[in-house]
């Protein structure tokens, strides 16, 4: 009987050590994941199926101006989506949850984001969804593309304007003439060029 009791104690201790080891391994993996996400150069945002933020890395704090503690548990649409797009965002989420269909998942999108101070800026977003049990989780990487948008606008302006005077160039004139001539047929008007 003594040996049976020792064997039972040994089995309980072994299971206890296995649970502690497994718990330590899970904690280590979670810590590593947090370090990886926080070292990422792009904002990482996680959202549950109710639309609440579940993940938020250091780059997201810097990009949007919300600390992790402030962001977690808040609705994405009330936090980083500009007011004029919130209803559209919520409808898209509801449509996906009811039909499983989305036009934006897996795509690289150019959208507008909103910072904590309510300033709106252009951002590039890559969004995907993962089914976790009976619920969905959504994840995104986002980055500010203000500088790129400004460079594109500057190039477009430079292509259509004289560098010295800033006036419209021949390409801009030809484009405007084409538009005027195409309107002439529809509006029964006659354009004039000075």
């Amino acid at each position: 009987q003594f040996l049976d009791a020792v064997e039972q104690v040994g089995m309980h201790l072994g299971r206890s050590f296995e649970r502690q080891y497994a718990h330590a391994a899970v904690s280590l993996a979670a810590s590593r994941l947090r370090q990886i996400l926080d070292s990422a150069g792009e904002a990482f945002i996680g959202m549950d199926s109710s639309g609440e933020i579940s993940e938020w890395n250091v780059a997201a704090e810097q990009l949007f101006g919300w600390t992790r503690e402030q962001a977690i548990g808040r609705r994405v649409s009330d936090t980083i989506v500009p007011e004029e797009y919130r209803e559209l965002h919520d409808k898209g989420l509801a449509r996906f949850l009811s039909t499983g269909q989305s036009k934006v998942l897996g795509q690289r999108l150019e959208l507008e984001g909103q910072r904590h101070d309510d300033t709106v800026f252009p951002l590039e977003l890559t969004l995907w969804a993962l089914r976790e049990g009976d619920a969905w989780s959504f994840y995104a990487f986002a980055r500010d593309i203000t500088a790129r948008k400004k460079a594109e606008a500057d190039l477009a302006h430079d292509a259509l304007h004289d560098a010295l005077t800033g006036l419209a160039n021949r390409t801009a004139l030809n484009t405007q003439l084409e538009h005027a001539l195409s309107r002439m047929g529809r509006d029964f008007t006659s354009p004039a060029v000075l």
Side-chain angles (χ1 to χ4, degrees), residues 96-97 99-100 128-139:
F96 176 78
L97 293 174
T99 66
W128 69 96
L130 295 175
R131 185 162 200 119
E132 297 175 347
D134 293 335
W136 286 93
S137 291
F138 303 89
Y139 300 98

Side-chain angles (χ1 to χ4, degrees), residues 32-125:
R32 284 183 182 156
L33 178 60
R34 172 66 30 215
Q35 288 175 0
I36 291 168
L37 291 177
D38 282 342
S39 66
E42 294 184 356
F44 179 78
I45 304 140
M47 180 183 82
D48 63 21
S49 57
S50 67
E52 292 183 358
I53 296 170
S54 58
E55 289 292 335
W56 194 259
N57 71 350
V58 171
E61 290 181 342
Q62 295 166 350
L63 181 60
F64 295 105
W66 297 86
T67 65
R68 186 172 196 278
E69 291 75 23
Q70 291 172 319
I72 299 291
R74 295 179 74 95
R75 291 186 46 77
V76 166
S77 59
D78 297 335
T79 310
I80 63 173
V81 176
E83 190 171 345
E84 62 265 24
Y85 303 117
R86 289 177 184 167
E87 184 178 340
L88 184 64
H89 174 270
D90 290 338
K91 283 182 179 179
L93 175 61
R95 183 178 55 249
F96 176 78
L97 293 174
S98 66
T99 66
Q101 297 178 353
S102 171
K103 296 177 183 176
V104 298
L105 292 176
Q107 304 291 325
R108 180 174 291 159
L109 308 167
E110 289 185 6
L111 305 168
E112 289 186 334
Q114 182 171 305
R115 291 189 173 92
H116 188 267
D117 65 4
D118 293 332
T119 57
V120 175
F121 66 100
L123 64 83
E124 185 177 83
L125 182 84

